[in-house]
């Protein structure tokens, strides 16, 4: 489908809006007017979504949550939105229709995601510090009232065996990946240990639970944090590790690109070259993670009273790598060398997190 916007994010004309009349009812019920059809675009994602201008001149973004857990996911998101104005910058909630799993938000003009900024080398140290402060504000909210259920990831039950339903739809590469994980006794032990070390009681805070670079939106000169469907009371190290894991993933993805530019045409890299290139790519991104941690500690300086926070964050960065590799494998027929290398990096972080906290940039102090 042809793009309908000059925004860096690829947008597509929506073909489903006319089949969801509840969107029009929601917008008109909020006094915003209905969408002008020729202004509506959508972006690819987990949920249905529509952005556009209404016949009353308002720019809005509407999301419809999908899957069986949509009611709970919407309630988590709305609970966070009720704290807007407490220093947590998010796209402003305009209204919701829980029965239809719909939520309408103020449209952020010319918004770019953190993932887009990173690819354009514009997710600077300053932006990462701002991102860290935003996450710290979320972690500083009162934990009462947040979903108290355990986070589903890492899915330790999958380390024993996949469900039949999962196995029947998994790609060959995903089955290979799960086989590698399940046969790695040391890694299985490390993942169980990570879950067992998650704090209970006073150590828990509200956590985003699905933190990725594309959950940060830059509009104007300010970052916003979005998508709170997995937010719940949990281990703050989960979000810190996810942010570090995002940069680690970008470092791993850059290895073949860098090697292709460094080596003569047709020459394959040996193991030592791959390791050396990976080391350089990780080091180049370490300042971003360190800046994030500084921003976080600017807001939550007492976070380090939890002596195991940064070590757990490093282990969660390792899990983030494995999670990203599983997601990539789900769309492939075989495991690529890059996927295997990235999974190996994640394994090392999970098994020996204390050895890599400084390498990732997670050893910052206030």
């Amino acid at each position: 489908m042809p793009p309908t916007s000059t925004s860096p994010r690829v947008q597509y004309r929506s073909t489903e809006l006319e089949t969801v009349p509840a969107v029009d009812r929601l917008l008109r019920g909020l006094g915003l007017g209905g969408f002008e059809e020729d202004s509506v675009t959508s972006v690819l994602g987990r949920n249905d979504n529509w952005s556009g201008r209404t016949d009353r001149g308002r720019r809005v973004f509407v999301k419809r949550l999908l899957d069986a857990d949509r009611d709970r996911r919407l309630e988590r998101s709305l609970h966070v939105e009720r704290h807007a104005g407490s220093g947590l910058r998010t796209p402003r909630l305009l209204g919701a229709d829980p029965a239809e799993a719909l939520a309408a938000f103020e449209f952020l003009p010319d918004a770019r995601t953190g993932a887009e900024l990173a690819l354009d080398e514009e997710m600077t140290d300053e932006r990462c510090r701002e991102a860290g402060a935003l996450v710290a504000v979320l972690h500083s909210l009162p934990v009462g009232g947040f979903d108290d259920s355990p986070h589903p990831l890492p899915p330790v039950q999958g380390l024993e065996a996949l469900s039949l339903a999962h196995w029947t739809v998994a790609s060959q590469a995903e089955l290979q990946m799960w086989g590698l994980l399940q046969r790695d006794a040391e890694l299985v032990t490390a993942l169980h240990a990570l879950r067992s070390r998650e704090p209970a009681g006073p150590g828990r805070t509200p956590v985003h639970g699905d933190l990725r670079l594309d959950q940060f939106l830059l509009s104007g000169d300010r970052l916003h944090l979005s998508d709170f469907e997995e937010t719940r009371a949990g281990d703050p190290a989960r979000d810190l590790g996810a942010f570090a894991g995002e940069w680690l993933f970008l470092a791993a993805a850059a290895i073949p690109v860098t090697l292709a530019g460094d080596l003569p045409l047709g020459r394959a890299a040996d193991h030592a070259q791959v390791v050396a290139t990976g080391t350089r790519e990780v080091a180049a991104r370490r300042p971003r993670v360190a800046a994030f941690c500084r921003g976080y500690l600017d807001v939550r300086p007492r976070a380090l009273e939890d002596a195991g926070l940064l070590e757990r964050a490093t282990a969660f960065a390792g899990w983030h790598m494995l999670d990203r590799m599983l997601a990539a494998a789900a769309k492939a027929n075989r495991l690529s060398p890059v996927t295997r290398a990235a999974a190996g990096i994640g394994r090392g972080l999970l098994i020996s997190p204390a050895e890599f906290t400084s390498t990732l940039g997670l050893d910052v102090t206030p």
Side-chain angles (χ1 to χ4, degrees):
M1 300 180 196
T4 60
S5 169
T6 57
S7 166
R9 187 183 311 175
V10 177
Q11 297 181 315
Y12 300 88
R13 289 194 181 278
S14 170
T15 59
E16 300 181 0
L17 183 57
E18 64 274 11
T19 70
V20 192
V23 172
D24 190 71
R25 289 198 301 270
L26 172 62
L27 294 179
R28 294 191 185 280
L30 294 171
L32 302 171
F35 271 130
E36 292 183 347
E37 185 177 350
D38 62 356
S39 75
V40 177
T41 61
S42 298
V43 295
L44 297 176
R46 176 182 181 182
N47 303 299
D48 287 340
N49 62 86
W50 303 271
S51 300
R53 184 179 57 253
T54 71
D55 52 27
R56 293 196 174 184
R58 294 290 296 273
R59 296 291 304 276
V60 299
F61 171 81
V62 179
K63 176 191 293 188
R64 181 174 71 159
L65 276 61
L66 304 174
D67 77 32
D69 196 32
R70 68 180 198 171
D71 294 343
R72 198 167 191 178
R73 289 169 53 217
L74 180 62
E75 176 51 36
R76 292 188 194 114
S77 182
L78 296 180
H79 185 77
V80 175
E81 301 298 342
R82 296 183 189 115
H83 290 280
S86 59
L88 182 63
R89 287 194 304 279
T90 71
R92 186 165 71 91
L93 177 70
L94 300 174
D97 180 352
E100 298 288 344
L102 288 170
F105 300 87
E106 195 79 54
F107 182 79
L108 295 179
D110 300 317
R112 299 173 65 195
T113 70
E116 292 164 347
L117 294 171
L119 289 175
D120 291 337
E121 299 185 357
E122 295 179 32
M123 192 67 177
T124 61
D125 290 357
E126 292 74 18
R127 289 289 176 220
C128 289
R129 190 162 189 160
E130 186 180 3
L134 273 176
V135 172
V137 170
L138 172 63
H139 289 185
S140 299
L141 295 176
V143 74
F146 278 85
D147 184 352
D148 199 41
S149 63
H151 198 285
L153 300 177
V156 290
Q157 69 280 2
L159 299 174
E160 303 295 330
L162 297 181
S163 69
L164 179 61
H166 189 169
W167 185 85
T168 56
V169 299
S171 72
Q172 184 63 34
E174 187 180 3
L175 293 176
Q176 282 184 282
M177 186 74 177
W178 275 111
L180 292 173
L181 299 181
Q182 291 166 348
R183 291 191 294 270
D184 189 333
E186 196 173 10
L187 177 60
V188 169
T189 298
L191 284 166
H192 279 285
L194 177 60
R195 295 308 304 258
S196 69
R197 291 199 302 269
E198 293 185 71
R204 297 197 304 170
T205 71
V207 298
H208 187 282
D210 188 28
L211 195 70
R212 300 188 308 273
L213 285 172
D214 60 9
Q215 312 291 28
F216 294 97
L217 301 173
L218 179 66
S219 180
D221 196 41
R222 305 187 83 187
L223 277 182
H224 299 70
L225 185 57
S226 65
D227 291 344
F228 299 100
E229 297 151 29
E230 297 299 333
T231 299
R232 66 194 70 211
D235 187 351
R238 180 181 293 275
D239 287 344
L240 303 185
F243 189 87
E246 284 285 87
W247 289 100
L248 197 59
F249 175 78
L250 291 176
I255 293 173
V257 178
T258 301
L259 286 172
D262 291 346
L263 295 174
L265 184 64
R267 179 180 171 185
D270 59 30
H271 179 72
Q273 289 170 317
V274 172
V275 171
T277 301
T279 300
R280 291 196 303 270
E281 294 294 344
V282 171
R285 290 161 178 81
R286 183 184 185 279
R288 303 294 189 263
V289 178
F292 175 88
C293 289
R294 290 190 189 95
Y296 184 86
L297 294 173
D298 286 344
V299 177
R300 291 194 75 222
R302 297 183 63 183
L304 294 183
E305 292 178 6
D306 176 353
L309 176 69
L310 299 183
E311 186 174 326
R312 295 197 312 277
T314 303
F316 272 117
W319 161 250
H320 190 84
M321 288 290 286
L322 294 180
D323 190 36
R324 293 295 298 260
M325 296 307 100
L326 284 167
K331 303 174 185 177
N333 292 323
R334 61 185 179 86
L335 291 179
S336 70
V338 173
T339 299
R340 290 177 180 272
I345 294 171
R347 179 186 188 276
L349 298 180
L350 274 159
I351 291 174
S352 305
E355 295 181 20
F356 296 102
T357 300
S358 177
T359 302
L360 294 186
L362 286 168
D363 60 339
V364 175
T365 56

